[in-house]
């Protein structure tokens, strides 16, 4: 477990520099890695710890060159959209989001994440995609009476279950 603070980003990211106006899932390096079975880590706050506990050989990261957007819409009295303004989130708003994420991580017993990274994961064992792994983790939590939320108990359950799934798959398939 860990944030791989000394590790380098995936090599596909090395050719890309500078800010992009694209959202994370639209970055060329993320789309390229998706072709090889990588998926962006879930961005829901309850899953913020997931890259920390995911098996190291099934996770990677790229520098976050993306832009997060705020969309403000205007409605008329009938609820019809009459206008929209789309603008990048300010640095202050981004800092608030990062602080909130690190607060959730602290509740899960996980140290703050390194800033400026987009984490990508590969499915584990016989799961086809990350959503399937998440469904499995939800089921495990429900079976054991652990609330599926950003907590130390849920993070520990996920870490143990991911380690078990990965060890079983490695034993069955050899090294990935």
């Amino acid at each position: 477990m860990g944030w791989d603070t000394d590790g380098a980003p995936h090599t596909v990211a090395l050719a890309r520099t500078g800010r992009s106006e694209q959202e994370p899932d639209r970055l060329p390096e993320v789309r390229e890695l998706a072709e090889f079975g990588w998926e962006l880590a879930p961005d829901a706050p309850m899953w913020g710890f997931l890259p920390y506990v995911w098996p190291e050989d099934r996770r990677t990261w790229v520098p976050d060159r993306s832009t997060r957007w705020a969309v403000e819409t205007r409605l008329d009295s009938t609820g019809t959209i009459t206008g929209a303004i789309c603008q990048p989130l300010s640095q202050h708003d981004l800092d608030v989001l990062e602080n909130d994420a690190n607060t959730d991580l602290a509740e899960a017993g996980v140290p703050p994440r390194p800033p400026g990274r987009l984490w990508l994961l590969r499915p584990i064992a016989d799961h086809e995609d990350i959503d399937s792994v998440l469904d499995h983790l939800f089921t495990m939590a429900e079976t054991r009476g652990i609330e599926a939320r950003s907590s130390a108990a849920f993070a520990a359950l996920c870490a143990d279950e991911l380690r078990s799934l990965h060890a079983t798959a490695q034993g069955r398939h050899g090294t990935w």
Side-chain angles (χ1 to χ4, degrees):
M1 288 193 312
W3 287 119
D4 190 25
T5 53
D6 296 330
H10 195 284
T11 55
V12 303
L14 300 179
R16 315 277 189 340
T17 61
R19 300 294 313 157
S20 171
E21 287 193 346
Q22 295 177 328
E23 294 175 331
D25 63 331
R26 305 301 300 161
L27 290 172
E29 56 270 35
V30 171
R31 293 174 65 170
E32 186 175 337
L33 286 167
E35 292 296 320
F36 294 102
W38 294 97
E39 298 178 47
L40 278 172
D43 61 356
M46 70 171 289
W47 293 115
F49 65 86
L50 208 55
Y52 184 81
V53 300
W54 205 265
E56 288 183 30
D57 63 332
R58 307 297 289 170
R59 71 174 186 215
T60 193
W61 63 274
V62 296
D64 186 358
R65 308 180 310 110
S66 68
T67 298
R68 302 319 193 271
W69 296 91
V71 179
E72 184 179 319
T73 55
R74 281 177 259 143
L75 306 173
D76 66 15
S77 61
T78 66
T80 301
I81 297 174
T82 60
I85 299 172
C86 186
Q87 54 190 342
L89 289 178
S90 69
Q91 188 59 51
H92 171 75
D93 289 339
L94 292 171
D95 291 343
V96 167
L97 291 174
E98 189 64 22
N99 288 337
D100 288 349
N102 285 327
T103 297
D104 290 339
L105 290 172
E107 289 175 14
V110 174
R113 62 188 182 184
R117 293 181 180 193
L118 293 174
W119 288 93
L120 294 103
L121 311 173
R122 277 194 171 148
I124 298 174
D126 295 329
H127 293 278
E128 293 180 12
D129 55 25
I130 301 304
D131 283 341
S132 174
V133 178
L134 300 183
D135 289 344
H136 175 81
L137 295 173
F138 269 124
T139 300
M140 294 304 298
E142 187 175 78
T143 300
R144 296 185 185 166
I146 296 173
E147 188 178 351
R149 64 176 185 83
S150 186
S151 68
F154 185 55
L157 173 128
C158 290
D160 291 344
E161 187 60 22
L162 291 169
R163 197 171 17 259
S164 175
L165 286 171
H166 190 55
T168 300
Q170 283 185 314
R172 202 173 31 227
H173 302 292
T175 59
W176 294 94

